[in-house]
Amino acid sequence: TDQASAAPQAQAPATAETATAPAAAAAPADVRVNAVEIEGDKIFVAGTAKPQANVFGYADDKLIGKAKAGADGHFVIDGVMPLAVGDHKIRVDVVDAAGKVLVRASVNFNRPEGNQVTVAAQSGTSTGNATTPMISLDEGALGKLKNDAAKAFALLSGLFSDGKVPGNEQLAAARSANEFALKSIVDFRAAADATADFKERVTTASMKASDALKLLQSLPRDASSVGAALAKLGQMVADLTAPPAAPAAPAAPANEVASGDAGPATIEQAPLQESKETVIIRRGDTLWQISRRIYGAGVRYTTIYVANEDKIVNPDRILPGQVFGLPKDALPNAEEMHRKRMSGEHL
């Protein structure tokens, strides 16, 4: 059973209200609506803008509320506004100190039936001439596996730095970590509804990981043999883990353009789509609370952390306005991961 009420303060991740962003967080160029949650008559609008920007949110041109973007550029606007099932439009204005609208984002969505629903951006959204993609859970998972492979190889190569020769136990542990990381990529499969581009990247990554794994497994167990093959293995891992080349920015589609001939520039986003695996981080939220609501036990919050690790400084720092993906089921070892964290181990 969930023991959140009896857990020590250190066990429950800190509230989003008190979390702060790293100073070097990248700032978005203009403004974007990332997701909308409806809970009864309450509405929550999450998005990104320039850090500390003042933003006003509207539903069907009626004011929902206002907010200020955090140091990381995320904001969440909330208010009471009953919305009937059907089509609606969300607008977010960025205003200066005098209240003048500098730029606005506008996005349509269809409000599904239900007392608690979420709609979210499912793909890239134009901001002027740039496109900011939403990273799918699958893509984030593959990125994490690649990052794990890079870390594992760094550990292995570090054993040989400055002319050192590792002992048998050290070498065996490092080899095992590399084999596990590479095999995880070999076994990774894209979801059936993934894009063709992502499926192709998964196939390529699997083939490259398989080649590196075969080389590693073919090496004798002694340090000199591994050391001699380190440069070649390193090149293979670097090729595997290198970020994909950024595609040339396409021209904004007709339903997703910035136009400013009359009044402030308006960024028209592609419509938001219903999502049952998305949650907006609100002021006061904790991973523990969200996990208890979604998975029935706060201690399973590590599932949410692992799925969104690229967005979280640590489990105690979640930021209002962030949009997290929610895996359908909790990880089978979620509670064990929590115990490890309480023991001081990194998740």
Side-chain angles (χ1 to χ4, degrees):
T1 60
D2 189 355
Q3 300 295 324
S5 59
Q9 184 63 32
Q11 289 189 357
T15 62
E17 188 172 18
T18 60
T20 56
D30 295 294
V31 60
R32 181 171 188 260
V33 177
N34 293 328
V36 174
E37 275 186 2
I38 295 171
E39 190 175 274
D41 288 344
K42 295 180 181 178
I43 184 169
F44 301 83
V45 178
T48 47
K50 289 186 177 181
Q52 309 303 325
N54 292 309
V55 291
F56 286 69
Y58 301 83
D60 303 327
D61 295 322
K62 296 177 182 178
L63 181 66
I64 300 170
K66 60 182 180 179
K68 183 185 283 269
D72 64 327
H74 287 96
F75 64 80
V76 59
I77 300 168
D78 60 87
V80 176
M81 183 166 292
L83 292 180
V85 173
D87 294 329
H88 298 278
K89 179 184 286 290
I90 293 293
R91 190 182 90 230
V92 172
D93 292 354
V94 177
V95 302
D96 63 14
K100 178 184 176 182
V101 179
L102 304 175
V103 63
R104 61 173 42 127
S106 179
V107 62
N108 295 319
F109 75 96
N110 183 276
R111 190 241 196 266
E113 293 185 3
N115 190 54
Q116 185 162 346
V117 296
T118 303
V119 291
Q122 300 297 306
S123 57
T125 302
S126 172
T127 52
N129 293 324
T131 296
T132 305
M134 290 284 283
I135 299 176
S136 68
L137 289 178
D138 267 0
E139 191 152 1
L142 179 60
K144 184 179 184 304
L145 292 179
K146 287 185 176 183
N147 188 48
D148 290 345
K151 288 180 180 178
F153 180 75
L155 174 65
L156 177 63
S157 60
L159 297 179
F160 292 86
S161 62
D162 301 323
K164 292 184 293 188
V165 178
N168 291 337
E169 289 188 5
Q170 283 183 306
L171 183 59
R175 282 184 66 143
S176 178
N178 276 264
E179 289 180 9
F180 179 82
L182 292 170
K183 191 173 187 306
S184 295
I185 297 175
V186 172
D187 294 340
F188 186 85
R189 296 292 181 269
D193 59 351
T195 64
D197 175 66
F198 181 61
K199 288 180 179 179
E200 182 178 348
R201 280 189 282 140
V202 168
T203 299
T204 300
S206 180
M207 292 173 61
K208 290 180 178 179
S210 178
D211 290 342
L213 181 61
K214 288 176 182 176
L215 171 62
L216 182 60
Q217 291 178 331
S218 70
L219 298 175
R221 313 306 292 183
D222 62 285
S224 59
S225 297
V226 176
L230 209 57
K232 183 177 180 181
L233 181 61
Q235 184 57 52
M236 296 174 79
V237 172
D239 187 38
L240 164 66
T241 58
N255 67 335
E256 203 172 290
V257 296
S259 57
D261 294 338
T266 299
I267 298 159
E268 296 285 352
Q269 298 182 204
L272 304 178
Q273 302 295 325
E274 182 177 9
S275 174
K276 299 183 184 299
E277 298 178 351
T278 302
V279 65
I280 292 174
I281 304 305
R282 309 172 189 173
R283 285 180 289 276
D285 269 351
T286 69
L287 293 182
W288 188 283
Q289 292 168 340
I290 297 169
S291 175
R292 181 160 62 176
R293 187 173 77 241
I294 302 300
Y295 304 123
V299 74
R300 296 169 186 159
Y301 71 90
T302 50
T303 300
I304 305 171
Y305 173 74
V306 169
N308 299 276
E309 191 172 5
D310 58 323
K311 307 172 190 173
I312 302 174
V313 177
N314 66 53
D316 297 327
R317 293 187 181 275
I318 57 175
L319 306 173
Q322 288 186 299
V323 179
F324 286 176
L326 295 176
K328 182 179 178 181
D329 299 307
L331 292 171
N333 62 336
E335 296 181 25
E336 165 131 11
M337 293 176 71
H338 167 68
R339 286 192 291 272
K340 286 184 176 180
R341 179 174 174 254
M342 291 300 97
S343 300
E345 296 183 41
H346 178 70
L347 292 179

